[in-house]
């Protein structure tokens, strides 16, 4: 790995996500193409298996990751906001690979070592973003990140789109509530927030292939995530994974209660 500071265990999960995106991009019928995903895995010196995950739960998580990526791609582009905030952006390359409307600015927030590693790889590839792009080293559990985001050019008086992809499950309920409260304070009416439908992590199957990920799960707000948002100034809609899989022509090999939340910020009374 070329970065001088090691990635934390949670940050390293971004490499597993990149690996899933690399596999999908190599398919003859991909739901999306991320031309940078494989380069991250190679640069991190992670062994690149010849095939995808074999275990049942690992395979299900990979399928969810693929569908999640395409769904968030589509919804971010349809959000109608020229300010897009990627929370815990990891190795997300949407600023580079999506066809953003003119004038869009993407803000990427994550820990410094993650952003440094991503920059090293993208710079080495000569990658050029297709939107305005601002990276902001930040710990989302610190209280100062909202002020630093505004100082970096984010305008809380204008509509925005927020993505918390694969994030809340790594937080405690208190941490997740604190993060979403901070987001709400920055999100003007009409802003959109995309995140996963909460899950009960106590029922997570044990699969050694993904234990390095699932052992870090702390649950976030759990199955009541959408209800919490509805009580705190958002109007939520849920897209179930099984329905999404049918829509994209990728039926699941096992049943799932997973899904995705799209929340719209409501005006204050």
């Amino acid at each position: 790995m070329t970065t001088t500071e090691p990635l934390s265990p949670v940050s390293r999960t971004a490499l597993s996500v990149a690996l899933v995106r690399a596999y999908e991009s190599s398919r003859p019928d991909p739901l999306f193409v991320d031309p940078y995903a494989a380069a991250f895995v190679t640069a991190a010196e992670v062994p690149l298996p010849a095939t995808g995950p074999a275990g049942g739960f690992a395979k299900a998580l990979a399928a969810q990751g693929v569908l999640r990526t395409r769904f968030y791609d589509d919804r971010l582009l349809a959000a109608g906001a020229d300010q897009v905030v990627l929370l815990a952006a990891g190795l997300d390359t949407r600023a580079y690979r999506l066809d953003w409307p003119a004038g869009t600015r993407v803000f990427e927030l994550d820990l410094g070592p993650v952003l440094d590693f991503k920059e090293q790889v993208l710079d080495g590839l000569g990658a050029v973003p297709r939107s305005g792009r601002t990276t902001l080293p930040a710990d989302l559990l610190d209280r100062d990140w909202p002020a630093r985001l505004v100082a970096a050019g984010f305008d809380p008086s204008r509509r925005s789109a927020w993505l918390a992809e694969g994030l809340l499950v790594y937080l405690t309920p208190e941490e997740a509530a604190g993060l979403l409260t901070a987001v709400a304070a920055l999100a003007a009416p009409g802003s959109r927030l995309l995140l996963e439908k909460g899950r009960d992590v106590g029922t997570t199957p044990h699969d050694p292939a993904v234990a390095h990920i699932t052992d870090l799960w702390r649950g976030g707000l759990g199955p009541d995530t959408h209800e919490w948002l509805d009580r705190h100034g958002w109007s939520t809609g849920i897209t179930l994974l099984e329905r999404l899989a049918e829509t994209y022509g990728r039926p699941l090999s096992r049943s799932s209660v997973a899904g995705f939340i799209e929340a719209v910020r409501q005006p204050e009374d």
Side-chain angles (χ1 to χ4, degrees), residues 84-89 107-112 115 134-156 160-164 167-168 171 174-187 193 234:
V84 178
V85 184
L86 308 180
L87 299 169
F107 296 86
E108 300 181 14
L109 281 64
D110 211 321
L111 299 176
L115 296 177
T134 299
T135 59
L136 183 63
D139 185 336
L140 295 175
L141 299 183
D142 289 343
R143 294 183 179 181
D144 69 340
W145 72 262
R148 295 180 56 220
L149 178 61
V150 172
F154 178 83
D155 184 353
S160 50
W162 298 74
L163 177 60
L167 171 58
L168 261 61
L171 306 180
E174 295 76 18
E175 290 168 345
L179 176 62
L180 292 181
T181 298
V183 170
L186 293 169
L193 170 64
W234 301 85

Side-chain angles (χ1 to χ4, degrees), residues 193-215:
L193 170 64
L194 297 163
L195 68 166
E196 285 81 63
K197 175 177 173 284
R199 66 166 72 219
D200 177 4
V201 296
T203 64
T204 303
H206 178 69
D207 187 331
V210 289
H212 64 290
I213 295 174
T214 57
D215 285 353

Side-chain angles (χ1 to χ4, degrees), residues 36 93 96 118-119 121-130 133:
Y36 312 103
T93 61
Y96 292 82
K118 179 157 67 171
E119 292 305 306
V121 174
L122 292 174
D123 288 349
L125 295 172
V128 178
R130 303 174 72 178
R133 177 174 179 257

Side-chain angles (χ1 to χ4, degrees), residues 59-104:
K59 188 173 293 186
L61 277 186
Q64 179 177 335
V66 168
L67 293 167
R68 179 177 78 182
T69 298
R70 172 62 185 271
F71 177 71
Y72 289 156
D73 284 357
D74 291 345
R75 298 316 302 156
L76 285 172
L77 289 175
D82 62 4
Q83 299 182 110
V84 178
V85 184
L86 308 180
L87 299 169
L91 302 179
D92 187 306
T93 61
R94 288 184 171 92
Y96 292 82
R97 63 180 183 80
L98 295 187
D99 189 15
W100 296 103
T104 302

Side-chain angles (χ1 to χ4, degrees), residues 5 42 44 47 88 90 98 114 120 139 156 164 184 202 205 207 217 220 229 236 240-241 255 262 268:
E5 187 173 347
T42 300
L98 295 187
V114 180
Q120 290 167 4
D139 185 336
D207 187 331
W217 286 357
L229 288 166
T236 61
L240 294 178
L241 185 68
S255 62
E262 183 169 8
E268 295 184 5

